[in-house]
Amino acid sequence: MDDKAILHRYLHLRRAELLAKLDGLDEYDVRRPLTPTGTNLLGLVKHVASVEIGYFGEVFDRPHGQPLPWLDDGAEPDADRWVTPEQSRDQIVALHYAAAAHSDATIDALPLDADGVVPWWPAERRHVTLQQILVHMCVETAQHLGHADILRELIDGTAGKAPKNANLEPPGTLRRGRLNPPGCNSAGGCLAG
C-alpha cells in the first residue's frame, strides 16, 4: 500500500469509528451536552464533516456545493460544534457521508503533492499539499474521536472503538479505586495534603 492509500485508510477508519459513537443512542443522548462548552456526540460529527468539506473542498478549489450556514460570516461562534433543534440526526449523518464522499473524490483525484491554499490559516503556513491536509484531517478526526470516546463512556459506559468492538477490557476491569491519586478515594474525596 502506498502512503496515500495508508493515510486514506486511516481517515476512513476514524470516520467510521466516530459515526459508530452514535449507535444505539436515542436522540436525547446524541445531543446531550456533557461538558461546560456544550460538546456532544452529534455536534462532533457535524464539526468533523464541516471541516472536511473545507479542507478537501475549498483548499483544493473543489467546492462541495453544500450550504454550511453555521460557518458563514456572522454565524454564532463554534456553531459547527453543536446541532440546533431543527437539525436532525439523519441530516447530520447525511452531511457526514456527503463530506466523506466529496473528500474521497478529492483524495482520489489528486496526487499527494497537489498544491492547495488554506485561506483561514496564517499567510506563512497557508500553502499546503494534499499530503499535509490528509495528515491534518487524520489527526483532527482522531482528536475528536477521542472526545467522542469519553462522551460515549459518560453516557452509557460504552468504551472502545464501537459498541461491538470495544478493544478494551470489559467495564469494571480497571477499578477507579486503584487509579486514584494517593490520599483520594473512588468517591472523589481527597485528604488535605
Side-chain angles (χ1 to χ4, degrees):
M1 215 185 288
D2 65 8
D3 290 345
K4 182 171 150 181
I6 291 168
L7 289 168
H8 201 176
R9 180 175 168 269
Y10 278 116
L11 183 60
H12 275 277
L13 291 170
R14 299 302 83 84
R15 283 180 192 146
E17 290 166 0
L18 178 61
L19 206 56
K21 296 299 171 189
L22 306 178
D23 291 351
L25 295 178
D26 62 21
E27 197 66 24
Y28 172 77
D29 282 331
V30 298
R31 294 170 173 272
R32 191 166 139 198
L34 291 167
T35 68
T37 59
T39 302
N40 62 70
L41 291 172
L42 201 55
L44 288 171
V45 172
K46 177 183 173 184
H47 171 71
V48 170
S50 299
V51 297
E52 263 204 58
I53 287 170
Y55 281 116
F56 291 111
E58 185 177 350
V59 167
F60 296 101
D61 198 26
R62 296 173 60 86
H64 181 271
Q66 174 88 26
L68 303 175
W70 48 87
L71 296 179
D72 289 345
D73 290 338
E76 189 170 342
D78 298 323
D80 65 317
R81 296 177 187 263
W82 42 269
V83 290
T84 65
E86 298 77 33
Q87 294 168 326
S88 73
R89 175 191 199 140
D90 288 344
Q91 288 172 319
I92 300 304
V93 170
L95 175 67
H96 165 86
Y97 284 122
H102 184 261
S103 299
D104 291 346
T106 297
I107 294 164
D108 290 342
L110 301 176
L112 280 179
D113 62 354
D115 292 323
V117 177
V118 185
W120 53 91
W121 284 9
E124 67 274 7
R125 293 183 26 230
R126 169 170 303 173
H127 295 276
V128 297
T129 64
L130 177 63
Q131 182 173 4
Q132 287 173 275
I133 294 304
L134 197 43
V135 169
H136 179 83
M137 278 310 305
C138 284
V139 171
E140 171 100 4
T141 305
Q143 175 186 8
H144 293 305
L145 174 58
H147 299 148
D149 281 338
I150 293 166
L151 295 179
R152 181 63 192 252
E153 188 172 357
L154 289 170
I155 291 168
D156 69 355
T158 299
K161 290 187 176 194
K164 293 182 177 151
N165 179 14
N167 74 302
L168 295 172
E169 293 298 318
T173 303
L174 291 176
R175 307 250 180 240
R176 282 183 63 179
R178 285 188 281 157
L179 302 176
N180 286 317
C184 296
N185 63 40
S186 61
C190 295
L191 300 173

